[in-house]
Amino acid sequence: MAEPYVIKMPQLSDTMTEGVLVSWEKQLGDRVERGDVVATVETDKAIMDVEVFQSGYLSGPLLAPDSTVPVGTVMGYLVEDPAQVHQSAAGAPLPSSSASSQPVSSPAPATIETQNEKTPAIAGQAIKMPQLSDTMTEGVLVSWEKQPGDRIERGDVVATVETDKAIMDVEVFQSGYLSGPLLAPDSTIPVGEPIAYLVESPEQVLQETHKVPSTPAPTGIEVAPKPLPATPTVSTFNPAATPAPSQQNDARPAPRPSHRPASPYARLLAGQRGMSLEGMTGSGPAGVIIAADVLGANTTSSSGSTPTVLPIPGEGRPMTAIEKAVSQSMTASLSIPVFHVTIHVQLDALSRIAKAQGASVTVALAKAASVALTRHPLVNACYQPGDRIIDNRPHDIGIAATTDDGGLVVPVLRDVAEQSLSALQKQWLPLLEKARKRRLRPEEYQHPTFTISNMGMYGVSQFDAIVTPGTAAILAIAAKGPQGMPITITADHRVINGAEAASFLRDLKSAIEHPETWAGSLGPVIPEGDFDTQVLVIGAGPGGEDCARELAEHGIQVTMVNNAPLPGGECLWRGCIPSKAWRAAADRIRNRAHDAMMGLHLGEPQLDWEQLEKHRRGIVQTRGEMALKTDQGVKIQVLEGFAHFTSPHSVEITGKDARTLRFGACVIATGAPAYVPPIPGAQEALANKAAVTSDTIWELSAPPKRLCIIGAGAIGMEMAQMFHDFGAEVLVLEALPRAVAEMEKEVAEQLLAAIGRNSPRLTVLTGIKVAAIAGEPGQVRIRYSQNEDAVLEYEADLLLIATGKHPDTRGLQLEQAGVQLGERGAIAVDSSCRTNVSHIYAVGDVIGGYMLAHTAAQQGRVAAHNLLGEPARYDASKDCGVTFTRPEVAFVGLSSEQAKATGFDVTEVKVPLSIDAKAMMTGETDGLIKLVADKKSHRILGVHFLADHADTLVGEAVLMVHGEMTLEQVASAIHPHPTQTELFGELARRLLSRLRRSARAGH
Ligand SMILES: Cc1cc2nc3c(=O)[nH]c(=O)nc-3n(C[C@H](O)[C@H](O)[C@H](O)COP(=O)(O)OP(=O)(O)OC[C@H]3O[C@@H](n4cnc5c(N)ncnc54)[C@H](O)[C@@H]3O)c2cc1C
């Protein structure tokens, strides 16, 4: 070793700017081997070893223990020969040797340093490569903004430099004249090295320029750029006055690990070996990673914990600063244990709201992410070395962007949670502009708390991004596919568990698909253009008609096409209304059973089927005509015909009002026909009218005497009991283990028990497999087996196939419009009833779920409001229904099972009608009312009925559930006496009392 090796105060943590020399671990003159610990220093975090990179003999002057000295200041020397050892022991801090070696990266920016005493050849002050980011260890001089000899004022920008992240201005905080030697543009130089000088007078100006190799010498080795004058020290050896010894291996030190400090030598060794220090165990004081750890880890690298460096043939070019920074950051991220979760989202609503509010989709995505982060703060937290979590951070969202020259930068939108979309857009535009030119300042790209990377514009179908230290998650956005746009979160498992990530994605999906919940109105969403009508509604059942009326009431030009002469759909012509007209007649017959109990003898009821049918037909015809008049009265253009799509904005209508029609937006409300399962003989029986469905039962010339019904759902059971009450013997065959399986379990059980008591000619068999159907009208044979037993045969004069309803959209030619189906042939929609095509909505039976008239109507209004730009959602958890058996079944909201599945901690209370005075009076004592509430909030989540007049009683319960009322509110409401509504107050008070008692008991 010809020249002494300088031992300096190392920078052992990102935040360390000075250190206290605690002890010398070697004595003056001691032989020191490469990797030996020569001293310990106290940083801002711990006491750590100082290792050396060379062998030699410890030489003075040595810094005195307990001295506090800035990072980079000389503490001692190593000499080659014992004879060269300078015995000067400890003293005051030795002058900084900034132009000479530094074991670790340079201290925080100190861009000007007086050179006079150190560089006698050059008068003035050195302008140094500033440290412009935490991770910056070197910079590339991009340009000089001033020329040698120019007058420089305090605050002037003299040059631009490229850091690991951006191109930034170099300002000076002194005045003077710019003087050489000036670093040549394109030179790469470590932080802290002089790039030029400031002198006091024009006469002192030097015009020289110097260049350093584009690949800098590794930090920790003398790198004084030639021909810069070497930095003198007080040492007699003037250790840095001559060129530094060159490093044998010119690799750079490995990045500082995020989990614990590492000694400079450990970093250098790791860098030379291509190893990452992330996750490595440290055996030094306070767990610091030292050289021995690296060497130890290296020998065990075959275990797979550290990568093996394989020789790569060829002549590589040096990486740019940004490439190196990305490479190091990615290497550091290798130790983060991550997992990935993907969900698909529809972006249309977010795009619309972004457009309406003048923001880019990128900014809107960041805002949506922030909405979800608010509910999942851990996703915005991060792991801190030493097994700590940093949370409660503002939402500083980094968004990966490409630079004009193809690089990658991540500008950070600050405090996203606290700002509106338009404010964020204002913040984003200049950031993006600077990012493209790589002119971001550190505060504009440093320390994101969450990151978004969007590759959707490149058409990639899916990808995942890499979490970097300082964040716990990154979101990768790919291009829209058949299921929507895949968004994938990569999460640090030390901070976020799988459920948290999944639930974050679910909330993010909701925030993206329903931006109206956080960003206000979507604005008008009916596309403008050369259309025949603003909105086309296909189907005039409850869904289509309510939608069309709502739109027309708001001044929208609506056309409604329906393939029947009058509106009303299934509900009016084949469903709710005609079936309840029959039920009303059956009720009169049934009520006679109670007459005798009250001492009344009105005689045996006689059914005049013809008169009943006339009555029923009169109702539906009258209501159909009334409906048409109302529709036309509110200025809906009503067309009769069958519509199918020919493009996303046009349909062809065949039938009476045949035409082609171009529309701005469309609502599909085409219902769902009865489903016929593939039972041998079923289609033939339907064709010859031996069998009917709920669509075709309305042409009976007389009620059947022996009726078989396949399917014990709501329609099957209503029909079964009605025809029983009209006098028929009825057999119901159900495939499932229990009848009315969709009803609350106890309600269903009690209904079957009540039917067993009150409907003697009605038999319900479960676990049935129907093998075949055969026969003529009036004589149909149904072969079936129960629970795999022997095959039996039932002969009836009518078979009703009541096995549910399935949407059938084949005739609509949805593919022409690009509308996609979901499960079981239903059109897929979100809770705003929007399909995957943003201007096409679908409502009612055609979207599946509860196939009920009021559900369809509500969804129709929801679609209308969304088209009007007023956010609305259909909430199935508050929907309701009535099955018109005797007793009636009704429900609103959730059953206990459903509520539990949604995450509520529920409790329920019930009352049998047998104890109710009003029920006793009328003899309608079968049944119960059950109330389901959330234990914590006492909110009423559901009410379930088996009670005669449940169709009326459920109304109050609907308001309880819809209004999210509590037990306390219902308990204190005054109910009229004597009515069955009093039972609601009773139930609420009873449950409250129970909850109070169990709370006292500590349950
Ligand atoms: C026997 C029975 C009893 C019922 N009882 C009740 C009850 O008590 N309470 C209750 O809430 N619900 C009941 N329902 C269910 C209720 O009838 C439906 O849920 C409701 O009618 C669905 O409304 P919708 O608007 O979705 O469709 P629908 O009422 O079926 O209306 C769809 C309309 O679109 C038309 N159409 C279809 N395709 C096209 C096309 N391509 N072009 C033009 N027009 C088209 C159809 O002809 C129809 O007029 C009952 C159903 C049945 C079968």
Side-chain angles (χ1 to χ4, degrees), residues 538-545 561-564 566-577 579-580 641-644 669-673 694-695 697-698 715 718-719 805 808 811-812 843-846 850-857 859 880-884:
I538 308 178
E545 214 177 18
V561 57
N562 191 44
N563 65 337
L566 292 171
E570 176 190 85
C571 169
L572 179 58
W573 301 97
R574 304 176 295 281
C576 325
I577 303 301
S579 66
K580 267 80 248 185
F642 188 88
H644 66 263
T670 49
S694 61
D695 289 333
I697 196 172
W698 310 104
I715 292 176
E718 279 187 9
M719 291 283 183
K805 282 148 46 73
D808 178 2
L812 279 170
V843 302
D845 286 2
V846 76
Y850 288 134
M851 292 198 188
L852 294 166
H854 50 269
T855 304
Q859 290 165 346
C880 57
V882 178
T883 304
F884 291 81

Side-chain angles (χ1 to χ4, degrees), residues 753-835:
I755 285 176
R757 287 190 293 273
N758 69 24
S759 306
R761 296 180 307 282
L762 170 53
T763 308
V764 182
L765 300 179
T766 55
I768 298 296
K769 183 170 181 340
V770 177
I773 299 165
E776 309 298 318
Q779 199 179 27
V780 58
R781 294 181 303 282
I782 300 98
R783 287 164 61 77
Y784 67 93
S785 59
Q786 189 172 27
N787 301 326
E788 309 288 318
D789 287 347
V791 174
L792 302 171
E793 187 171 288
Y794 184 78
E795 191 175 298
D797 46 24
L798 184 69
L799 168 67
L800 169 63
I801 301 176
T803 41
K805 282 148 46 73
H806 280 191
D808 178 2
T809 56
R810 285 171 296 182
L812 279 170
Q813 297 188 12
L814 292 175
E815 64 285 355
Q816 297 291 330
V819 174
Q820 289 166 0
L821 296 181
E823 288 174 10
R824 297 159 68 95
I827 295 178
V829 293
D830 60 20
S831 61
S832 67
C833 297
R834 190 182 298 129
T835 70

Side-chain angles (χ1 to χ4, degrees), residues 526-713:
I526 302 170
E528 290 170 10
D530 178 24
F531 300 120
D532 300 317
T533 185
Q534 277 187 286
V535 181
L536 171 69
V537 177
I538 308 178
E545 214 177 18
D546 275 48
C547 178
R549 288 185 186 177
E550 195 72 16
L551 288 165
E553 294 284 357
H554 284 81
I556 302 296
Q557 183 200 0
V558 187
T559 301
M560 181 169 66
V561 57
N562 191 44
N563 65 337
L566 292 171
E570 176 190 85
C571 169
L572 179 58
W573 301 97
R574 304 176 295 281
C576 325
I577 303 301
S579 66
K580 267 80 248 185
W582 280 352
R583 181 68 255 172
D587 278 347
R588 297 296 164 100
I589 298 171
R590 179 167 283 271
N591 287 346
R592 300 289 74 78
H594 301 306
D595 291 346
M597 182 188 73
M598 296 183 206
L600 292 172
H601 300 282
L602 303 181
E604 188 70 18
Q606 297 291 318
L607 173 64
D608 180 344
W609 181 253
E610 218 171 292
Q611 175 56 31
L612 174 57
E613 282 298 79
K614 196 171 151 205
H615 174 63
R616 177 183 68 77
R617 289 203 175 96
I619 295 169
V620 297
Q621 185 67 24
T622 307
R623 289 197 60 79
E625 287 165 7
M626 281 166 58
L628 180 62
K629 279 200 188 115
T630 308
D631 293 340
Q632 290 170 336
V634 296
K635 304 267 185 298
I636 297 169
Q637 181 190 27
V638 183
L639 301 178
E640 183 183 338
F642 188 88
H644 66 263
F645 288 96
T646 50
S647 82
H649 280 286
S650 62
V651 289
E652 177 84 42
I653 298 173
T654 53
K656 183 168 167 284
D657 295 321
R659 68 192 65 188
T660 55
L661 199 117
R662 287 178 47 73
F663 57 83
C666 178
V667 180
I668 305 169
T670 49
Y675 169 70
V676 178
I679 301 169
Q683 292 300 340
E684 293 79 354
L686 286 169
N688 72 15
K689 298 200 165 59
V692 291
T693 66
S694 61
D695 289 333
T696 55
I697 196 172
W698 310 104
E699 300 300 327
L700 298 180
S701 54
K705 299 242 170 337
R706 275 166 72 88
L707 173 66
C708 180
I709 299 178
I710 303 177

